[in-house]
Amino acid sequence: MKALILVGGFGTRLRPLTLSVPKPLVDFGNKPMILHQIEALKEVGVTEVVLAINYQPEVMLNFLKDFENKLDIKITCSQETEPLGTAGPLALAREKLIDGSGDPFFVLNSDVISEYPFAQLIKFHKSHGGEATIMVTKVDEPSKYGVVVMEEGTGKVERFVEKPKIFVGNKINAGIYLLNPSILDRIQLKPTSIEKEVFPKIADERKLYAMVLPGFWMDIGQPRDYITGLRLYLDSLRKKASVKLASGPHILGNVLIHESAVIGEGCLIGPDVSIGPGCVVEAGVRLSRCTVMRGVRIKKHACISSSIIGWHSTVGQWARVENMTILGEDVHVCDEIYSNGGVVLPHKEIKSSILKPEIVM
Amino acid sequence: MGSSEERVVAVIMVGGPTKGTRFRPLSLNVPKPLFPLAGQPMVHHPISACRNIPNLVQIYLIGFYEEREFALYVSSISHELRVPVRYLREDKPHGSAGGLYSFRDHIMEESPSHIVLLNCDVCCSFPLEAMLGAHKSYGGIGTILVIKVSAESASQFGELVADLETKELLHYTEKPETFVSNLINCGVYIFTPEIFSAIEDVFKQRKERANLRRVSSFEALLSATKALPADFVRLDQDILSPLAGKKQLYTFETLDFWEQIKTPGMSLRCSGLYLSQYRHTSPQLLASGDGTKKATITGDVYIHPSAKVHPSAKIGPNVSISANARIGAGVRLISCIILDDVEIMENAVVIHSIVGWKSTIGKWSRVQGEGDYNAKLGITILGEAVDVEDEVVVINSVVLPNKTLTVSVQEEIIL
């Protein structure tokens, strides 16, 4: 089976992290974002993943060679020369997605994290015999999104309503699809929206079905949702009684610590923290609801919450970093500094406190 | 030494990528020395000034950017000037004197009688020929270009005290807290090769001091927090300051303009200064037009030959338009730098702004800065490939590359 992951563009909402690496390679739970998806696809028998990108293919390709070998799965890039929207890339990758077997192929939005219940998706798709299956997820505020109105028992999609003003349903498009190759005949090689142009037509023909996504779902394309997403992801690891989660007297709630990270005495870590490879957390540090990327050093007595600390940065002694502070790569927060929501671009030194949210270039 | 033996080597310090985050977001796409001012890369202006030096044999650019960033520029400018220009890469920053010293073999290869040292991010008229003449008459080992500024702003720079008659450098102090002098260091120097011995002496002294002196625990604490590596030698504080008052160093005063180009705001200001200088030095580079066959031009304006400007547009003063830009009908541009491949649609207005490569400005939209070149959000800067939709207003904002503005913004940084 094949899969297409819509990687798209520049990941500007995840700046400053995406100033250092392309968005699919930004680490989430100590693994590049896209690796979570590729691993789940491999598990269900996908042999080739095509990445639809329009930016930095060289950086991506180097990493991908690495994954290809480790995971024994073929990974190729399909590069857009102009933005093709959410359906156009499928037409661009047509040759790669059709292998003559007639098998359906997956299409994923690269920003989405979830349990990826692909086996269940395949089963449901085969059982209803329609042309396309989309996964939907329940949300509290459906009018922020495109709502999918579907038949309760069969899951047959009746219609899509974009940002509905009155309540029509609470299920939205989760960005995970399983599509028959015939769908490619509906898509031309031009900027096209799959939600607005392609799916509504298939729904009219009663050939589009929706499956409610079991487990958690999050679009982690921006920092606030990234942090919420980490909480959901770690929670799901807890539910599976994963051995990856850390335990001990200094651990509170769900915490992921890479085996090469070093944690000092007297720390209190958690809930909802991930600490990457090679990190050094010195004595007396408090970390909660944050991501600490590869190679970071957190000095003694520092306190970090609700923030993302970028690769190879340092946080000084007694520093307090909180409230959606995002440090890019190689940022050094001096001792005793306070950062309240500072968003700091790579290669900076923070020598004076940031009292209210601001961008430091 | 007779003038037939005179050979001059020019060295331009261009810096490197991890320093100077102040030039963001423009430095996210191009090394600062290659950012265009008045239609030419920043480093081109001091290089061009070196043309006026008689007996110039070589120009070196020293910095710690990757070689490939400068490869194209260096080969084309060598060809144009007919003087070899080479980029020498430092493996890490050594300070201005350290950098000069580490490449002394290259610099001394042609046995120069004089070495001209310039900082790339200085904007001035570079009166090098006159300065060289003065240096020779003083007979010292170095001559520093100086300028008088207001007493308040002097403390941001190196302040010098010079003898009114002999012009000898009597005293030098960097960024003093109290007022010393309103004469400041312009960052342009002429040296004889003896400068290398002066730098060597400083290295030797440091080594000896490190070996002999047993540092007290208090001193060790102080030095541990802000230690400079032993091979980081700053020209002004470590070399020139100690030599002041010893009849070795002299000053040459310029009465023309002088600015430092540290921020994008200042690059807009300096682009204007160089444009007004073209009026005297190269008026053929400036555009002209009265709205009949070509667009109306007011003040100093540079338009690259490949750019297309609609005749109904009004351009200037202080506007620089780079290659392949397209300026539509009824557009008004005031005090701005329009970079390569930009498209500005009908009736749009751009004031006190820098519009990045490949960006598009929609119809009737307004991109504007207040014009305070030193403030953080004093001009509007659009990074590479920013699209401003029709009728949108962007004021005093900085927009990073690859963004589309669909609604108006004011006083914002958009990542």
Side-chain angles (χ1 to χ4, degrees):
Chain A
M1 283 184 80
K2 313 274 180 101
L4 179 77
I5 303 183
L6 296 169
V7 173
F10 305 98
T12 63
R13 288 180 304 160
L14 262 185
R15 286 175 169 161
L17 300 173
T18 46
L19 291 175
S20 298
V21 298
K23 188 178 57 166
L25 300 180
V26 170
D27 304 276
F28 177 80
N30 292 346
K31 227 192 293 201
M33 268 165 67
I34 204 168
L35 196 56
H36 291 263
Q37 299 183 330
I38 296 181
E39 282 176 353
L41 289 166
K42 161 93 184 163
E43 222 173 290
V44 89
V46 170
T47 52
E48 182 176 349
V49 176
V50 182
L51 304 184
I53 58 178
N54 59 24
Y55 182 55
Q56 284 189 328
E58 316 84 42
V59 181
M60 289 290 295
L61 288 171
N62 285 332
F63 273 88
L64 300 177
K65 279 253 159 318
D66 209 29
F67 298 162
E68 268 194 320
N69 296 330
K70 289 206 185 103
L71 292 180
D72 188 31
I73 187 173
K74 188 166 173 210
I75 307 177
T76 53
C77 286
S78 169
Q79 191 181 5
E80 299 164 43
T81 46
E82 49 150 354
L84 292 173
T86 44
L90 277 71
L92 186 64
R94 190 194 174 93
E95 304 305 313
K96 298 198 172 109
L97 295 172
I98 297 192
D99 61 1
S101 67
D103 282 342
F105 58 89
F106 290 96
V107 174
L108 308 183
N109 181 321
S110 71
D111 288 350
V112 161
I113 50 136
S114 74
E115 309 252 356
Y116 306 120
F118 294 145
Q120 289 172 261
L121 180 56
I122 293 175
K123 199 162 157 205
F124 178 65
H125 183 84
K126 290 210 167 95
S127 77
H128 65 61
E131 192 176 7
T133 308
I134 64 173
M135 298 207 82
V136 294
T137 183
K138 193 164 103 164
V139 294
D140 289 333
E141 289 184 64
S143 30
K144 285 203 235 165
Y145 308 93
V147 174
V148 181
V149 181
M150 54 200 254
E151 221 172 75
E152 235 6 73
T154 58
K156 200 180 284 186
V157 174
E158 289 169 23
R159 62 190 198 286
F160 282 79
V161 187
E162 192 67 20
K163 294 189 177 55
K165 295 205 168 68
I166 55 162
F167 185 87
V168 294
N170 59 5
K171 312 283 192 305
I172 61 155
N173 180 355
I176 298 173
Y177 321 131
L178 187 54
L179 311 171
N180 285 352
S182 55
I183 206 175
L184 292 170
D185 298 330
R186 299 176 185 267
I187 306 174
Q188 289 178 332
L189 185 53
K190 61 181 175 76
T192 317
S193 161
I194 208 168
E195 306 94 336
K196 298 200 176 103
E197 298 172 62
V198 183
F199 284 155
K201 278 217 190 75
I202 308 180
D204 285 342
E205 291 174 29
R206 325 310 264 135
K207 291 185 184 163
L208 178 66
Y209 286 77
M211 177 177 165
V212 179
L213 182 67
F216 71 100
W217 177 88
M218 199 78 223
D219 174 337
I220 55 171
Q222 52 190 353
R224 192 169 294 278
D225 296 334
Y226 178 108
I227 292 184
T228 307
L230 184 67
R231 174 174 61 79
L232 295 173
Y233 172 68
L234 295 179
D235 195 50
S236 79
L237 287 182
R238 172 72 61 192
K239 291 205 177 88
K240 293 193 263 197
S242 170
V243 294
K244 290 194 213 157
L245 290 176
S247 58
H250 56 294
I251 305 290
L252 205 58
N254 301 330
V255 172
L256 200 61
I257 302 182
H258 194 271
E259 56 196 10
S260 63
V262 173
I263 312 290
E265 302 259 308
C267 290
L268 185 57
I269 307 205
D272 306 322
V273 174
S274 78
I275 300 179
C279 287
V280 175
V281 179
E282 294 183 7
V285 167
R286 176 85 183 93
L287 301 178
S288 65
R289 282 172 265 277
C290 57
T291 290
V292 179
M293 303 264 191
R294 165 190 300 271
V296 167
R297 173 180 286 267
I298 315 282
K299 296 194 181 167
K300 290 188 202 166
H301 320 297
C303 176
I304 303 180
S305 80
S306 302
S307 297
I308 302 176
I309 312 298
W311 311 266
H312 307 293
S313 293
T314 61
V315 175
Q317 293 187 39
W318 288 287
R320 190 177 179 98
V321 171
E322 61 183 24
N323 192 22
M324 296 304 304
T325 290
I326 318 287
L327 304 185
E329 182 189 11
D330 184 40
V331 170
H332 305 278
V333 176
C334 292
D335 294 349
E336 298 159 28
I337 295 294
Y338 172 55
S339 167
N340 175 18
V343 175
V344 186
L345 265 64
H347 313 295
K348 296 290 297 177
E349 196 182 0
I350 304 299
K351 295 188 259 216
S352 52
S353 290
I354 301 171
L355 299 176
K356 50 182 175 52
E358 80 177 62
I359 296 174
V360 180
M361 271 214 294
Chain B
M1 196 187 306
S3 63
S4 58
E5 290 181 42
E6 180 175 287
R7 275 192 284 275
V8 182
V9 168
V11 176
I12 305 178
M13 307 300 289
V14 298
T18 51
K19 276 186 70 177
T21 60
R22 277 191 282 175
F23 207 68
R24 287 173 172 172
L26 300 171
S27 55
L28 294 176
N29 284 101
V30 73
K32 188 170 91 170
L34 297 178
F35 182 78
L37 305 178
Q40 301 282 11
M42 190 182 296
V43 72
H44 188 89
H45 297 276
I47 289 184
S48 207
C50 290
R51 269 188 160 128
N52 301 324
I53 303 174
N55 306 307
L56 178 73
V57 296
Q58 175 88 43
I59 300 180
Y60 287 111
L61 306 184
I62 295 181
F64 48 99
Y65 288 98
E66 300 280 326
E67 269 118 349
R68 60 180 158 76
E69 310 246 39
F70 281 88
L72 268 175
Y73 174 74
V74 154
S75 71
S76 79
I77 194 67
S78 296
H79 185 78
E80 190 187 311
L81 281 187
R82 301 193 190 294
V83 170
V85 179
R86 254 185 90 181
Y87 175 71
L88 298 174
R89 182 175 189 244
E90 297 180 85
D91 54 357
K92 60 178 165 86
H94 289 100
S96 38
L100 191 66
Y101 186 76
S102 56
F103 291 112
R104 64 193 180 287
D105 291 336
H106 285 100
I107 295 169
M108 293 306 297
E109 210 172 53
E110 301 274 347
S111 311
S113 52
H114 298 91
I115 299 157
V116 176
L117 177 66
L118 305 132
N119 279 301
C120 174
D121 60 2
V122 157
C123 166
C124 73
S125 61
F126 298 109
L128 299 174
E129 200 180 355
M131 193 174 162
L132 184 59
H135 173 82
K136 288 194 276 203
S137 69
Y138 298 143
I141 73 165
T143 299
I144 307 171
L145 188 68
V146 298
I147 188 171
K148 277 206 181 73
V149 297
S150 72
E152 304 85 58
S153 51
S155 58
Q156 299 163 45
F157 307 104
E159 294 183 10
L160 306 96
V161 178
D163 184 295
L164 290 168
E165 282 171 30
T166 66
K167 306 296 177 195
E168 190 205 336
L169 176 70
L170 297 176
H171 185 77
Y172 181 96
T173 175
E174 184 72 16
K175 294 191 181 66
E177 284 174 14
T178 57
F179 178 79
V180 171
S181 160
N182 64 353
L183 207 59
I184 59 146
N185 178 357
C186 291
V188 176
Y189 317 83
I190 295 186
F191 295 118
T192 61
E194 283 149 294
I195 190 67
F196 290 122
S197 339
I199 302 177
E200 226 168 80
D201 286 344
V202 168
F203 277 129
K204 280 206 202 105
Q205 275 171 36
R206 280 197 184 168
K207 242 171 120 178
E208 283 163 20
R209 230 182 291 150
N211 291 336
L212 289 179
R213 232 173 56 167
R214 305 190 92 246
V215 175
S216 79
S217 58
F218 180 65
E219 283 168 314
L221 199 69
L222 283 181
S223 59
T225 46
K226 266 302 173 191
L228 290 172
D231 58 355
F232 193 98
V233 182
R234 298 156 301 179
L235 182 65
D236 305 314
Q237 296 95 314
D238 300 330
I239 311 289
L240 303 183
S241 188
L243 288 176
K246 297 191 180 151
K247 297 217 177 347
Q248 303 259 48
L249 299 174
Y250 291 82
T251 60
F252 181 77
E253 189 177 342
T254 170
L255 302 172
D256 287 335
F257 60 94
W258 182 88
E259 298 286 355
Q260 274 189 311
I261 316 162
K262 297 291 190 197
T263 60
M266 282 311 292
S267 73
L268 182 55
R269 164 142 175 74
C270 294
S271 183
L273 289 172
Y274 282 134
L275 283 174
S276 59
Q277 194 188 36
Y278 284 167
R279 217 159 262 292
H280 311 292
T281 58
S282 2
Q284 75 282 4
L285 289 178
L286 292 177
S288 59
D290 60 3
T292 50
K293 291 216 192 87
K294 292 201 275 183
T296 309
I297 307 289
T298 167
D300 304 318
V301 170
Y302 169 81
I303 303 179
H304 191 276
S306 66
K308 291 193 171 21
V309 183
H310 196 275
S312 62
K314 185 168 176 191
I315 318 286
N318 181 16
V319 173
S320 171
I321 301 177
S322 297
N324 296 312
R326 285 173 323 283
I327 314 296
V331 165
R332 182 78 181 95
L333 303 181
I334 303 173
S335 178
C336 51
I337 297 177
I338 309 299
L339 293 168
D340 301 37
D341 300 304
V342 164
E343 180 169 9
I344 304 188
M345 319 263 247
E346 294 86 76
N347 307 308
V349 176
V350 180
I351 306 177
H352 294 311
S353 302
I354 297 178
V355 180
W357 312 259
K358 305 196 189 83
S359 293
T360 62
I361 310 287
K363 302 182 205 180
W364 289 286
S365 62
R366 189 173 181 105
V367 174
Q368 180 174 339
E370 207 176 293
D372 182 347
Y373 301 115
N374 287 309
K376 190 165 114 165
L377 293 177
I379 66 163
T380 285
I381 305 167
L382 306 184
E384 185 186 34
V386 169
D387 296 325
V388 177
E389 292 196 343
D390 294 350
E391 297 172 49
V392 165
V393 177
V394 184
I395 300 190
N396 289 343
S397 296
V398 172
V399 184
L400 260 63
N402 305 110
K403 300 294 295 184
T404 299
L405 299 184
T406 53
V407 293
S408 297
V409 293
Q410 214 178 123
E411 315 269 337
E412 259 192 69
I413 300 177
I414 299 181
L415 285 189

